[in-house]
Structure formats: C-alpha cells, structure tokens
C-alpha cells in the first residue's frame, strides 16, 4: 500500500518513498502488537545512535530477524511498530552505543553501520527501504529522547504501538513530533538566492531554510526566514514539494518565492555567504560541472529539485 | 514587519495574520529580554488555561500592563517573548487556573476570559491580534507542558526568550513544537468528499484531516488519511493554503486532492458520516443556506476556503 504517486515532485527524493502499510488501526491492539513483535516473522530496523545496521552482501538489507536483534542487545521496550510490508511486521529498535559498537555489529555477521544520509545519497538501496529507515529512525529517536514525561518528569511508557507515550503519574499523553521546516528558493527573474552554511562542503550553495514557528503560516515563515537570513523581502510563495528529513524528524516544505527586493543583508551567524546566482550558473551547479567548482546539494535533497525546477523554467 | 501577503489564500483565515516582528536575533540576549520583560513598556498576553484575558470596552484589548499581570499572579518564569509590535515588547504568561479564576479576572477590571476559537469566529478583533494570541497561546502551552526534560526528567529552564528549554542536568536542549496536520478536500468531478466528526455541531461537514507522521511527505499523509478515514484512493495532491491552529500548536496544511476511486469505506471510530457532496450543495453550505440545514465550517477555518475554492472552480 504505497501512498506515493508519480505526480509528486518528491518522488525521486531521498526518504520520500516508503511503501509500508502503517496499519494505524492495529496500534490500539497491544496484544496484536506484542504478538507481532515476538513472532518469528518480525523484522527489526536496528539503530546504533544515528546509524542503522545494514546487512551487506549482494544487496543491502535493513530488516533483521529477532535472533540478531537479541544478539545485539536491542531494546525491545522502546521498540515502535512501523507497519507491515510484504508480510512481515517491521519494528525499530536501538542497540547500545559504546566504543565497541561498530566491532560488535561487524562481528555478528555481514553487517555494517552506515549513516542514513550516505545511504540516501549513494542510491544503491531501494528507495522504499531508505524511506522506511527514515520513519524508523525519526520515531525511535523520539522515544529515545522522550523517556520521561515533559509535564511531570516521571518515566513514561510506550503505547499505541509507539505512536504515543503515556505518563503513569500525571496521565499526560505524548505524541511523536514532526518538525516542519520551510526551505525556499527565492527568485528574481533569471537569478535565484542561494546561501552557504559553514558546515557545507567546499563550493556548495543551497536554498535557505528554517523551522516554522508556532503561530505562523508556511508562507509567513518563508518570508520571515528570507528576511532574517538575507534581508530580502518576499512576495508570492508557491509550494513545490515536501520531504521527510530524519535528522531527527523534520518535514521539509519546499517553496519557490518571488523576491520583492534584491539587496542582500546576510545573517553572518547562520551563513558564510549568500548571493544571487544566474540560471546558467545553477544549471552547471546541479551536475557539478561549474568551472568555479560551485555545486548544488545532491539529487536526493529537496534543494536540488527546487533549483532544478528553476533551471527548467518550471516555476 | 508583516510577513503576510495578499497572494496568500490564507490571508482571511483565523490566526493566520500576525504582524509582530519576532526579533529572533534578540533571543540570544538574556539581559535584553529580561529588561524588556521588566520594563514599563512590556505588554503581556495573559492566559487562564486555554483562554486569554481580553480587555473589553470600546475595543477588545489583548496586551496588558505588568501591573495587571502581577495582580493576576502571572507566572513570569515561563513567560516567552513573542516579539515587538508598534514599540512595546510582547510576552505571553499564564495566570492560575482555579474555580474562582473567572471572577478574579472580572474583578480586576473591564476584563473577560474569551476562548480563542470564539474570538476568531466572531471577527470583531483585529486579525493581527487574533494571530498574536495564537502565537502566544501555542508557545505558552508548550512551556506549560514541557517543564521537565523529556530525556532525563529534570526540571528544565526557559532560555532563548522562550524558544528553547535547557536541562541543567543532562544538557538536553528542547525546542517548541509545531505539529503539521494534513487537511484535504478530495474531489471527483463535481463532487467533493466531506465527513462529520462526532463533536461537530449539527449539520456540519468538513474536509478530512490528520496528523502528518514521522517519515511521510505531505502528499503521502494526505493519501494515507484519505484511505484510512474513507477508503478512497487519492492521486494528484495540490497544496492550497496553510493556517496556524493553536489547539495547541498545529500547522494546518490544506490540499485539494484528486480521487482515484469513489466507493467509501468509512472509519466509524473517527467519523459519524462521510459522503460525496455535489458542488451545488457545497455552494449552499458555505453561506449556511442549505435547505437540509447542512453547513460548512466558518470562514475563519481552512476547510471553508478549500470548499470555497472548489465551489468557485479555482481548483
């Protein structure tokens, strides 16, 4: 049961394809969930910190049998149910993060810890598997950082198959978070606005972005961030595509934006550089053939398809 | 410094207009924030539970002086900074919620507790004030329900003017949440799909909606919810508008959706009824003149403008 569709511009983005059936109606049924988790057919996505345990061989495998999960000391208490795919029920579980974690994993079989971003950039793993890892990672990270009730400080308990945590003391109910982020390509005729964060690899420029705050529309957040980061006033905002971004649980909301002003006042605490790039330059940055070594983010990133839509004259 | 724009379909929605300057660059400066909060010019949005304290008289007032905030025993510790508007700095603070709260507020002056939804539906208050109340309510609610570190259970401290809470024990950093919700009008030619939740007033039907989950695109969430709630398969998803919804901190993401199938299998745990409505019926539901007493949500709600866009043939 896939909920992707060829009309989505996100269809080729990293983490955006995930064809699991989440079986939300089973979440109420704790006995069903427990039986699925403890049954022979269960498959576990295992994470050591941020990195999934990947079976390496002829193909890359993400779902592991219970025996391996046990051997790697997976935490079955905070082990959310992700849904079902081709029969087996999938769960997500953490394994201990220690200095010898990497060696323990590799000693347990043809296994390797590979970070999620690399898997998405690399493109060797089926897109549905990368998407399922994103769901598993975001949800597991939420449990790992929300073991205590934020209302009263008591240890809380995983319920609803992992789509809620309940506090036995104050009765507080807590739900997984998803953090909406506005990412926008601001356009002025044949030029678009790109910035460099200090952490970027050399030569890379990307669309500006920022978290949407309480009490904002998407459009207002886009204009506020464009103003705060670049001092540019923005007009019409056109939604283009969205992408789950599991670091740890963002939802990237990609927009194309009309610039109303063009003089840049850069926020130097956020950015190394910020400038207007001509369409012809962006066209060379996407395939990474620009003579000055300027590059766009990789095709798995939503900034790439925003820049591509601009180059193609789609927007 | 308003970040709304006439091109936003959300421009007339409740909570969507908020022309405060959030002054995010001041959040780092704890001394500046403290001076602004303790200064004569500070204005406080005061909330008793869900309801703001509203000054009543010739006009409705939302920003109160410090003296009143003190008289009503406002909590100045968990008191986030919202930004500045026309000079004064605005903060959001809670006042004690007890059986006599309503009387205490009314005894303190020409004041009344009025719930946020009513203020938005009523339309007497300037839209920017309703929007600012939404920001204040969402952010304050987050503090009130996140006083303890979710990583370790220790009491945490408001920092960054209220846009972060820090744990003095484990060092955990916590950020306000905004919960993206997909709300979608599914269309099949001249018909659209509407449902009734049990809590709706008599005769009201609205667009289906649900929280976007970790690891999903907006489009995938729209299709999953349409499938789960109505058993309808959805194709092309077109984003239309967004709306902050401060109950407590949602971001409604409104879409128009192409139906691929038409046979309804309703989720009876979520809905009382779900059916296809002809465009001519919806046209009468919006102004609430339908002969059968069927009605749409009020104009302040995003479902209203999705239905209106469909009736007007805009989508």
């Amino acid at each position: 049961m896939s909920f992707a569709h060829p009309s989505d511009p996100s269809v080729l983005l990293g983490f955006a394809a995930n064809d699991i059936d989440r079986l939300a109606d089973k979440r109420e049924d704790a006995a069903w969930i427990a039986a699925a988790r403890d049954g022979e057919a269960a498959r576990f996505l295992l994470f050591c910190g941020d990195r999934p345990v990947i079976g390496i061989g002829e193909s890359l495998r993400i779902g592991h049998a219970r025996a391996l999960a046990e051997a790697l000391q997976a935490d079955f208490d905070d082990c959310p149910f992700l849904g079902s795919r081709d029969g087996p029920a999938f769960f997500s579980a953490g394994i201990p993060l220690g200095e010898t974690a990497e060696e323990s994993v590799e000693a347990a079989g043809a296994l390797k810890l590979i970070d999620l971003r690399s898997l998405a950039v690399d493109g060797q793993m089926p897109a549905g598997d990368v998407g399922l890892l994103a769901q598993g990672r975001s949800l597991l990270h939420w449990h790992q950082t929300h073991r205590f009730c934020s209302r009263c400080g008591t240890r809380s308990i995983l319920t609803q198959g992992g789509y809620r945590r309940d506090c036995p003391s104050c009765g507080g109910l807590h739900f997984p978070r998803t953090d909406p982020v506005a990412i926008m390509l601001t356009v002025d005729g044949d030029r678009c606005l790109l910035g460099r964060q200090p952490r970027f690899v050399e030569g890379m420029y990307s669309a500006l972005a920022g978290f949407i705050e309480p009490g904002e529309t998407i459009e207002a957040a886009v204009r506020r961030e464009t103003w705060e980061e670049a001092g540019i006033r923005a007009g019409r905002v056109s939604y283009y595509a969205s992408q789950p971004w599991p670091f740890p649980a963002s939802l990237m909301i990609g927009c194309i934006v009309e610039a109303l002003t063009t003089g840049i006042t850069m926020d130097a605490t956020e950015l190394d550089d910020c400038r207007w790039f001509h369409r012809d330059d962006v066209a060379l940055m996407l395939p990474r053939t620009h003579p000055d070594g300027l590059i766009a983010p990789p095709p798995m990133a939503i900034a790439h398809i925003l820049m591509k839509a601009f180059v193609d004259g789609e927007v």
Side-chain angles (χ1 to χ4, degrees), chain A:
Chain A
M1 179 66 62
S2 170
F3 293 111
H5 188 264
S7 67
D8 296 345
S10 64
V11 78
L12 295 174
L13 290 179
F15 314 118
N18 178 5
D19 51 0
I20 201 157
D21 186 343
R22 290 175 182 239
L23 294 177
D25 57 330
K26 297 293 189 195
R27 293 175 191 165
E28 292 276 352
D29 188 345
W32 188 94
I33 299 274
R37 186 190 59 216
D38 299 337
E40 271 301 304
R43 288 294 172 270
F44 296 88
L45 310 189
L46 299 171
F47 289 87
C48 181
D50 283 342
R51 292 184 295 172
V53 175
I54 303 296
I56 50 177
E58 284 185 29
S59 62
L60 301 172
R61 283 173 305 99
I62 64 169
H64 305 291
R66 188 172 178 104
L68 179 67
E70 282 174 4
L72 292 175
Q73 300 174 57
D75 173 2
F76 294 108
D77 289 330
D78 285 336
C79 175
F81 170 59
L82 305 177
S84 174
R85 201 178 69 179
D86 309 329
F90 279 78
F91 293 82
S92 188
I95 65 172
L97 181 66
E99 278 182 23
T100 58
E102 192 135 6
E103 289 80 350
S104 306
V105 166
E106 292 179 12
L111 300 170
K112 208 167 163 50
L113 297 178
I114 308 181
D115 84 274
L116 258 180
R117 211 179 300 242
S118 306
L119 286 169
V121 171
D122 176 62
Q124 295 301 301
M125 179 177 278
D129 282 5
V130 179
L132 184 53
L133 284 173
Q135 177 193 353
R137 175 65 198 134
S138 290
L139 197 52
L140 183 63
H141 181 272
W142 180 74
H143 285 283
Q144 291 173 335
T145 55
H146 290 76
R147 291 200 163 114
F148 293 83
C149 175
S150 63
R151 287 176 183 261
C152 76
T154 304
R155 194 76 149 82
S156 62
I157 296 156
L158 179 151
T159 60
Q160 298 280 324
Y163 279 82
R164 203 171 82 194
R165 294 187 72 90
D166 297 1
C167 176
S169 175
C170 75
L173 306 179
H174 305 281
F175 298 89
R177 47 187 292 172
T178 302
D179 301 311
V181 173
I183 178 164
M184 50 274 172
L185 190 70
T186 303
V187 172
D188 172 54
D190 275 328
R191 305 185 304 170
C192 71
L193 185 71
L194 300 173
R196 258 191 69 73
Q197 291 176 32
R199 63 175 180 80
F200 282 4
V201 297
E202 205 184 322
M204 187 186 285
Y205 282 79
S206 186
L208 305 183
F211 285 100
I212 298 176
E213 295 193 349
E216 276 185 324
T217 60
I218 294 170
E219 292 77 9
V222 161
R223 297 193 191 99
R224 178 183 52 75
E225 289 285 344
T226 307
W227 174 251
E228 286 176 5
E229 294 195 10
I232 302 283
R233 299 288 296 174
R236 185 176 293 272
V237 172
S238 305
Y239 169 82
Y240 186 70
S242 62
Q243 178 185 31
W245 192 249
F247 308 107
S250 292
L251 171 65
M252 309 301 288
I253 301 179
C255 297
I256 305 287
V257 186
E258 167 200 28
L260 298 180
T261 63
T262 58
I264 295 171
T265 307
M266 185 181 81
D267 176 359
T269 62
E270 297 266 341
L271 299 174
D272 260 359
D273 191 17
C274 180
R275 32 183 173 120
W276 293 104
F277 289 78
H278 192 276
R279 199 188 298 268
D280 297 343
D281 285 306
V282 181
L284 297 172
M285 292 164 75
L286 290 167
R288 303 192 167 184
T289 55
H290 194 285
D292 301 339
L294 301 175
I295 58 174
M300 64 76 107
I302 192 167
H304 188 98
I305 68 166
L306 293 175
M307 292 164 72
K308 186 165 189 309
F310 166 67
V311 166
D312 293 347
E314 257 187 69
V315 290

